Amino acid sequence: MTSQKVLQGREDDYKRWQEGVNRAVRDFDGFEGTESYPPDSGEGNEWVVVFRFARVDQLSAWLTSGTRHRLLDEGRELFEEEPSQEVLSGGVAAQEAVTAVVSHEVRTGREQDFLRWQHKTLKAQEKYPGFMGAELFTPVEGIQDRWVVAFRFDTREHLDEWMESDVRRKLLDEGREYFGKYDVRQIGSAFSGWFRFGEGEQEGIPPNWKQAMSVLLALFPTVMVLNLTVGRALTDAGVPEYLGLFISNALSVGLLTWVVMPLVNRALAFWLLPGRARSRRVRMAGTALVLACYVLLIVLFGLTT
């Protein structure tokens, strides 16, 4: 995971540069997907990018490659400071709304004290509303020396409540005896809870472009069917257009969340989950299948309407 503070006014240049990086990394063995998270309001112009690889050695090959170093040199003028990175090896992929990633430079010889402090911090977090879990990632030999903690809350508001709490401030004051510098990054998924594959699933979450394609595949027929049934019934009953649209939208969101998206997830799991869609053939087949479904639905509703 890399975080980059982009210079004000250079956002478009950065996006073009990042697209070039994303194209280059696809050629490396073990690459599974890329996710980009633009800055939230109030957090400065910091962009976060997550690169997923099947194994640490394959990630290391990308991080140390001449291609990546060349791209970093080309993009250096776009950033306020050197981009930072954290490597998270193993663990369970975050599946909910917002995740905070904190990297610590633990003082030599104080590792066990840090672990005890981290356990105490976890116990305090568990008492806050919306807390969903935390994972500790130990240093990855040859890549990074920092200890990384990822914890997630169900909403940004609940995460902010913990981040700004007096309890956390006191714990940080206590922990400074065991670690020096620490960095905090916050990321969230574009479609959040629409992509759940079961408790304990460790095969990753889909990249945003697959999520968008899947949501469109579920959304289009849902909206069309509701328009042809509920929409017409509401119009015939004389319900005002704005109220009818609200009712239809509420029904479509409910159907997507609890009925249609779970079906789409199960049907396309072979393609959505990075842990399964590791070969180019599977990725291409899944994409072709979704595109074919688009065409089929357009033809079907074109004939029926």
Side-chain angles (χ1 to χ4, degrees):
M1 185 188 81
T2 63
S3 57
Q4 299 147 144
K5 292 185 177 180
V6 179
L7 291 169
Q8 292 292 337
R10 302 299 302 272
E11 292 83 1
D12 291 339
D13 295 330
Y14 164 73
K15 291 176 183 177
R16 286 190 289 270
W17 175 83
Q18 187 62 56
E19 288 172 359
V21 174
N22 293 346
R23 287 193 297 269
V25 72
R26 293 181 193 133
D27 295 331
F28 281 73
D29 290 340
F31 174 72
E32 295 184 344
T34 304
E35 300 156 32
S36 297
Y37 302 94
D40 288 330
S41 59
E43 293 185 11
N45 208 20
E46 188 168 30
W47 297 68
V48 176
V49 181
V50 177
F51 297 94
R52 299 185 185 277
F53 280 79
R55 300 198 311 267
V56 172
D57 62 316
Q58 294 168 329
L59 169 63
S60 180
W62 157 249
L63 292 176
T64 59
S65 68
T67 299
R68 178 173 178 270
H69 286 296
R70 175 180 57 80
L71 288 165
L72 287 175
D73 288 338
E74 292 176 0
R76 206 173 301 279
E77 64 178 14
L78 304 175
F79 308 121
E80 295 181 8
E81 56 190 41
E82 286 293 315
S84 64
Q85 70 179 36
E86 284 84 32
V87 176
L88 281 63
S89 175
V92 181
Q95 298 173 353
E96 281 297 340
V98 61
T99 299
V101 179
V102 187
S103 59
H104 307 77
E105 294 181 357
V106 178
R107 303 185 193 280
T108 303
R110 304 305 300 269
E111 292 83 1
Q112 292 303 315
D113 294 325
F114 171 77
L115 288 173
R116 284 190 288 270
W117 173 84
Q118 187 58 51
H119 179 72
K120 182 178 179 179
T121 301
L122 174 60
K123 292 299 184 183
Q125 285 177 316
E126 290 174 346
K127 299 176 182 178
Y128 275 71
F131 178 71
M132 303 189 68
E135 300 159 58
L136 175 65
F137 300 86
T138 58
V140 181
E141 185 176 358
I143 298 181
Q144 73 170 21
D145 298 325
R146 288 170 291 182
W147 295 65
V148 181
V149 179
F151 53 87
R152 49 191 173 271
F153 282 77
D154 58 351
T155 66
R156 174 75 60 178
E157 291 74 19
H158 283 153
L159 173 62
D160 290 342
E161 183 179 343
W162 160 252
M163 297 292 287
E164 298 168 5
S165 67
D166 292 336
V167 172
R168 179 173 179 269
R169 278 193 286 270
K170 291 178 181 178
L171 285 165
L172 285 176
D173 290 339
E174 177 184 333
R176 292 184 196 281
E177 183 178 348
Y178 315 128
F179 60 84
K181 180 182 177 182
Y182 71 95
D183 296 306
V184 181
R185 304 287 180 266
Q186 297 182 18
I187 59 175
S189 174
F191 294 98
S192 167
W194 277 352
F195 290 87
R196 297 189 181 96
F197 292 90
E199 294 297 326
E201 184 63 69
Q202 299 189 39
E203 295 185 279
I205 60 174
N208 284 346
W209 67 272
K210 288 186 179 182
Q211 294 185 29
M213 289 185 69
S214 303
V215 171
L216 178 59
L217 179 62
L219 181 63
F220 176 59
T222 302
V223 172
M224 286 298 299
V225 169
L226 287 173
N227 284 343
L228 294 173
T229 56
V230 177
R232 288 184 177 177
L234 292 173
T235 300
D236 293 340
V239 176
E241 182 179 356
Y242 66 88
L243 182 57
L245 184 60
F246 173 81
I247 294 173
S248 295
N249 285 343
L251 289 172
S252 65
V253 170
L255 287 172
L256 280 175
T257 302
W258 290 292
V259 179
V260 185
M261 283 307 301
L263 294 175
V264 171
N265 286 342
R266 284 196 291 271
L268 298 178
F270 76 96
W271 173 72
L272 284 170
L273 287 171
R276 301 186 192 182
R278 292 181 175 175
S279 70
R280 183 181 297 272
R281 178 178 298 179
V282 172
R283 292 194 293 269
M284 293 181 63
T287 304
L289 175 60
V290 175
L291 293 174
C293 289
Y294 290 163
V295 174
L296 179 62
L297 289 169
I298 291 171
V299 172
L300 176 63
F301 286 113
L303 293 174
T304 56
T305 58

